[in-house]
Amino acid sequence: MEVYGNNQGNYNQPYRSEKKVAAGILAILLGGLAIHKFYLGYTKTGIIQLILSFVTFGTVGGLIGLIEGIIYLTKSDEEFDRTYVQNQKEWF
């Protein structure tokens, strides 16, 4: 049986960003490896952060990841999606 459209009645559900929680957790836990940057599609920025982490033995890259993870998780879903998914803001 094929179902066309959204028949589940979720029209009044609040908006949820698909990538916010995953990107925030990746940034906090693996920020030095810039996994969250690659997850959001920021390849060039991810490589820059990865090199920065390598040169500073993980301190600066890990700190950037921690800060960005906290920022990601504290933004509303709409604001996160608008800022980091649609407008492609790569740093903080």
Side-chain angles (χ1 to χ4, degrees):
M1 177 178 176
E2 293 182 293
V3 178
Y4 297 101
N6 186 358
N7 292 339
Q8 298 175 359
N10 293 340
Y11 297 109
N12 293 328
Q13 295 254 341
Y15 178 82
R16 287 184 34 119
S17 176
E18 299 173 0
K19 296 186 173 191
K20 178 181 134 177
V21 174
I25 291 172
L26 286 171
I28 290 171
L29 297 179
L30 301 171
L33 299 175
I35 303 296
H36 63 291
K37 298 285 190 186
F38 295 111
Y39 179 73
L40 290 173
Y42 308 146
T43 306
K44 183 173 78 173
T45 309
I47 292 171
I48 292 170
Q49 185 172 343
L50 194 57
I51 291 170
L52 188 62
S53 289
F54 181 73
V55 170
T56 62
F57 301 105
T59 12
V60 174
L63 185 61
I64 290 171
L66 178 65
I67 293 169
E68 286 183 331
I70 292 169
I71 290 171
Y72 293 169
L73 294 174
T74 56
K75 286 190 177 288
S76 70
D77 289 343
E78 295 91 352
E79 188 178 5
F80 174 84
D81 198 48
R82 187 174 48 252
T83 304
Y84 298 105
V85 177
Q86 294 172 5
N87 295 336
Q88 298 285 307
K89 182 179 177 187
E90 297 181 3
W91 295 101
F92 298 100

